[in-house]
């Protein structure tokens, strides 16, 4: 079966869009054979490593540069998933690589028991991107660790063991504590979990019981009829650093009915499942693993108000949405017009280098002093140097503007594919955090079965594009590329994805 470069050429010969050129030349691979690598993977690595491996015919990645990856045979792929939304500014970005090599020549590791410049310099630089009163940083090694620590801090600050509240479909990590905050059966193990944590209905305006055609903060809305009364139409022109977008918004004369219904569900959880006071609410501004689910515009604002009335604190999980990925804002929570009490982050924070962070207020940080907590690697000089260079590159390369411009273009073009193909149920997202939900048909909205998803997934890979999957039923294709992708890259992906959808339809 042909794959990689051969299949890329076969498809692109029939298309007006070619894979964009790349001047970078990777070094030839000279290591172990594929067969030997698979033998070791199957017999020496934990079985979970094989279980999470993408593709029936795996990709053997050897080299990366910016938005491109090369396999061991020298085939080039457009990376539209960025190592699960982790490579923020580009694989082996020259500026990040330079900063890393410079720090490697000075000091690799020392812990927080000594005062080294990098941790203070980075804490000051990071908090300059956050609103008051989010001014205190604790550095970790991953998003799971950051959320684990945030839950502990919330319980310490409120003196409440119960409980953490979260939305169904959420993913907040796989550690012993954060698995309690994760609501996706694929990530659950047959052991006791969920102690002190409760979920509320996911306010999904496409798949949920309530939703409409102007619920979410996205250039693309659902095709569902709105549950609200007909309103007026307002035309707005949005200006963002030389990007001009005209939006037509249908404005209801009352509050969004879908939002009110989902907030009623949260109130029901508070009335029936939790004690008088709670520790806090965990929420991703846009669900990542859950399938790039966007809530009604005012949901987080109203939810934060209810949580604070219950004595809890509000935690924004920015592991996937942070660092300019949503385009319009640096942080996902800013698109909801809220200020959380705590923000967790990881993934893109250091462009793939293991790192995470919890940022909170001085008051909450003081509560953490009730005991002693030590992290051997958190805030090390090397990780701080890498993360600091990422902040610089986002600004210097104008990547937030790229996210908005290229992301909006992608969303609008994907909406055309939704209208063209019966199996594309929904297109949603902001900036370069995009979800394409696949269905059996638009009437039933039943999820496209996993084996059918895999056909399209495999085809897309064979034509030279790597994407991700998500959703409670693995029914959503996830697009979260490095922020350096171009409009030409977007056109190439769109041509490949359209062809993969056509191939699937023709086979049936």
């Amino acid at each position: 079966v042909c794959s990689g470069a051969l299949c890329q050429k076969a498809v692109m010969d029939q298309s007006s869009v070619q894979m964009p050129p790349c001047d970078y030349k990777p070094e030839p691979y000279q290591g172990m054979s594929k067969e030997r690598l698979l033998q070791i993977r199957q017999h020496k690595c934990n079985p979970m490593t094989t279980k999470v491996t993408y593709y029936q015919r795996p990709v053997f990645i050897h080299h990366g540069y910016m938005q491109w990856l090369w396999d061991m045979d020298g085939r080039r792929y457009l990376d539209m998933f960025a190592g699960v939304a982790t490579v923020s500014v580009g694989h082996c970005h020259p500026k990040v690589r330079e900063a890393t090599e410079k720090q490697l020549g000075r000091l690799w590791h020392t812990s927080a028991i000594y005062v080294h410049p990098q941790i203070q310099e980075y804490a000051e630089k990071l908090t300059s991107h956050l609103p008051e009163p989010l001014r205190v940083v604790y550095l970790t090694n991953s998003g799971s660790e950051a959320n684990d620590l945030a839950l502990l801090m919330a319980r310490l600050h409120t003196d409440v063991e119960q409980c953490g509240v979260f939305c169904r479909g959420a993913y907040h990590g796989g550690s012993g504590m954060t698995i309690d905050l994760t609501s996706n059966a694929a990530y659950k193990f047959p052991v006791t979990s969920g102690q002190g944590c409760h979920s509320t209905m996911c306010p999904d305006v496409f798949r949920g019981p309530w939703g409409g055609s102007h619920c979410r903060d996205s250039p693309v809305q659902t095709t569902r009829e709105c549950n609200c009364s007909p309103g007026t139409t307002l035309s707005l022109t949005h200006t963002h650093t030389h990007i001009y977008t005209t939006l037509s918004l249908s404005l209801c004369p009352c509050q969004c009915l879908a939002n009110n219904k989902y907030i009623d569900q949260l109130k029901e959880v508070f009335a029936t499942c939790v004690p008088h006071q709670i520790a806090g609410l965990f929420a991703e501004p846009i669900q990542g693993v859950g399938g790039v689910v966007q809530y009604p515009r005012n949901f987080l604002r109203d939810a934060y108000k209810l949580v604070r009335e219950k004595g809890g604190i509000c935690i924004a999980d920015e592991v996937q949405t942070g660092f300019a990925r949503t385009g319009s804002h640096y942080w996902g929570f800013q698109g909801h017009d809220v200020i959380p009490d705590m923000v967790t982050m990881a993934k893109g924070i250091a462009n793939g280098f293991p790192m995470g962070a919890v940022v909170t207020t001085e008051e909450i940080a003081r509560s953490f002093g009730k005991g002693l907590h030590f992290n051997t690697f958190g805030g090390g000089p090397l990780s701080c140097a890498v993360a600091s260079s990422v902040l610089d590159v986002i600004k210097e390369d104008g990547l937030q503007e790229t996210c908005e411009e290229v992301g909006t273009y992608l969303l609008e073009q994907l909406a055309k594919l939704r209208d063209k193909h019966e199996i594309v149920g929904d297109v949603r997202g902001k900036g370069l955090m995009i979800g394409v939900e696949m269905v059996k048909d638009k009437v039933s909205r039943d999820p496209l079965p996993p084996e059918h998803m895999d056909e399209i997934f495999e085809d897309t890979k064979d034509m030279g594009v790597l994407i991700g999957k998500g959703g409670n039923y693995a029914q959503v294709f996830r697009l979260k590329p490095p922020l350096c992708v171009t409009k030409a890259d977007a056109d190439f992906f769109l041509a490949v994805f359209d062809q993969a959808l056509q191939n699937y339809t023709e086979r049936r």
Side-chain angles (χ1 to χ4, degrees):
V1 179
C2 72
S3 64
L6 294 176
C7 200
Q8 291 168 20
K9 184 178 186 303
V11 171
M12 290 302 105
D13 282 347
Q14 305 172 31
S15 172
S16 60
V17 179
Q18 301 294 315
M19 178 180 279
C22 176
D23 295 333
Y24 186 82
K25 303 296 182 185
E27 297 176 358
Y29 177 74
Q30 298 178 336
M32 290 183 182
S33 68
K34 296 177 185 177
E35 292 75 17
R36 181 60 180 148
L37 289 172
L38 285 179
Q39 286 177 355
I40 296 172
R41 192 176 184 90
Q42 291 168 0
H43 298 293
K44 299 296 183 182
C45 297
N46 190 286
M48 191 61 69
T49 307
T50 300
K51 188 173 183 178
V52 302
T53 302
Y54 266 6
Y55 305 115
Q56 297 170 6
R57 300 183 298 277
V59 180
F60 292 80
I61 295 300
H62 160 53
H63 208 110
Y65 182 75
M66 302 305 281
Q67 66 269 46
W68 302 105
L69 290 169
W70 285 264
D71 68 12
M72 290 162 44
D73 298 318
R75 301 183 182 109
R76 180 160 58 103
Y77 298 86
L78 175 62
D79 185 4
M80 292 294 287
F81 200 37
V84 194
T86 300
V87 179
S88 49
V89 300
H91 294 281
C92 301
H93 191 290
K95 295 176 183 176
V96 178
R97 179 176 174 177
E98 180 183 359
T100 305
E101 292 174 344
K102 186 176 180 180
Q103 186 59 45
L104 279 169
R106 290 177 176 171
L107 181 65
W108 291 19
H109 170 74
T110 185
S111 66
I113 62 173
Y114 303 116
V115 181
H116 61 85
Q118 287 74 28
I119 188 170
Q120 286 74 223
E121 292 170 355
Y122 181 68
E124 184 173 54
K125 185 182 288 189
L126 177 63
T127 54
S128 72
H129 290 276
L130 287 152
E132 293 282 1
L134 298 167
R135 285 292 176 265
V136 183
V137 181
Y138 194 98
L139 297 173
T140 67
N141 304 296
S142 69
S144 291
E145 190 178 334
N147 282 330
D148 195 300
L149 186 61
L151 181 56
L152 173 62
M153 293 172 72
R155 285 170 166 166
L156 286 170
H157 182 69
T158 58
D159 285 324
V160 177
E161 177 65 22
Q162 299 225 355
C163 66
V165 178
F166 57 98
C167 295
R168 288 169 207 151
Y171 181 86
H172 295 293
S175 69
M177 286 178 68
T178 58
I179 199 69
D180 294 349
L181 294 167
T182 291
S183 177
N184 186 311
Y187 295 92
K188 294 292 190 179
F189 292 88
V191 296
T192 302
S193 65
Q195 297 181 6
C197 296
H198 300 272
S199 66
T200 185
M201 181 183 287
C202 177
D204 183 347
V205 299
F206 172 72
R207 184 157 294 284
W210 306 287
S213 55
H214 53 267
C215 292
R216 59 194 183 202
D217 178 21
S218 174
V220 179
Q221 301 294 330
T222 73
T223 56
R224 294 177 70 174
E225 290 295 324
C226 187
N227 300 117
C228 301
S229 303
T232 57
T233 299
L234 174 66
S235 181
L236 300 175
T237 299
H238 170 60
T239 305
H240 183 87
T241 59
H242 308 299
I243 302 169
Y244 300 92
T245 307
T246 299
L247 305 174
S248 292
L249 302 178
S250 297
L251 300 180
C252 290
C254 57
Q255 284 192 329
C256 174
L257 176 61
N259 181 65
N260 293 345
K261 290 291 188 180
Y262 289 118
I263 287 295
D264 284 345
Q265 292 293 311
L266 179 59
K267 290 178 179 178
E268 184 74 8
V269 171
F270 286 166
T272 61
C273 301
V274 304
H276 176 70
Q277 186 178 359
I278 63 172
L281 168 76
F282 271 80
E284 304 159 270
I286 301 174
Q287 283 191 353
V289 175
V292 195
V293 175
Q294 290 183 279
Y295 319 134
R297 280 188 177 88
N298 295 327
F299 178 79
L300 276 190
R301 185 197 65 186
D302 295 345
Y304 275 28
K305 183 175 183 293
L306 290 175
V307 168
R308 285 165 174 158
E309 288 173 354
K310 296 283 288 184
I313 66 173
C314 301
I315 300 113
D317 182 339
E318 294 277 354
V319 170
Q320 294 199 31
T321 49
F323 299 97
R325 180 162 289 281
T326 61
S328 61
H329 299 89
Y330 209 85
W331 306 103
F333 69 78
Q334 293 171 318
H336 295 271
D337 194 26
V338 296
I339 297 179
D341 304 296
M342 200 180 301
V343 181
T344 59
M345 55 195 77
K347 288 190 181 289
I349 190 173
N351 204 43
F353 197 91
M355 189 175 183
V358 180
V359 184
T360 189
T361 67
E362 291 184 8
E363 182 184 5
I364 294 174
R366 281 195 296 270
S367 300
F368 193 40
K370 295 177 181 179
L372 183 64
H373 185 90
F374 177 72
N375 191 309
T376 301
F377 297 107
L382 185 56
S383 60
C384 287
V386 176
S388 181
S389 68
V390 168
L391 295 178
D392 294 338
V393 169
I394 292 173
K395 180 180 179 181
E396 293 166 6
D397 291 7
L399 296 184
Q400 184 173 348
E401 293 77 11
T402 298
C403 276
E404 182 159 10
E405 183 175 14
V406 178
T408 299
Y409 175 75
L410 258 175
L411 282 161
E412 291 171 346
Q413 298 304 309
L414 283 167
K416 295 177 182 178
L417 295 185
R418 176 199 62 194
D419 298 339
K420 177 181 177 181
H421 297 280
E422 178 66 14
I423 58 172
V424 180
D426 193 32
V427 171
R428 54 183 178 255
K430 283 186 68 178
L432 290 173
M433 186 161 182
I434 298 172
V436 181
E437 180 150 354
M438 309 300 292
V439 295
K440 292 180 179 178
D441 60 82
K442 287 182 168 65
V443 176
S444 71
R445 286 180 288 156
D446 290 340
L448 195 67
E451 61 272 18
H452 294 214
M453 290 286 291
D454 286 343
E455 289 184 36
I456 301 168
F457 196 52
E458 201 85 19
D459 245 8
T460 304
K461 176 261 295 181
D462 286 343
M463 288 185 275
V465 179
L466 306 180
I467 59 178
K469 289 188 293 184
N472 285 339
Y473 311 101
Q475 83 283 16
V476 179
F477 289 122
R478 298 159 66 197
L479 308 175
K480 300 170 185 181
L483 310 188
C484 57
V485 293
T486 66
K487 188 177 177 182
D489 300 330
D491 284 332
F492 175 66
F493 158 73
L494 290 162
V496 165
F497 191 57
D498 186 24
Q499 184 65 55
L501 296 175
Q502 290 183 48
N503 292 348
Y504 170 86
T505 303
E506 290 170 3
R507 282 193 294 267
R508 276 157 175 72

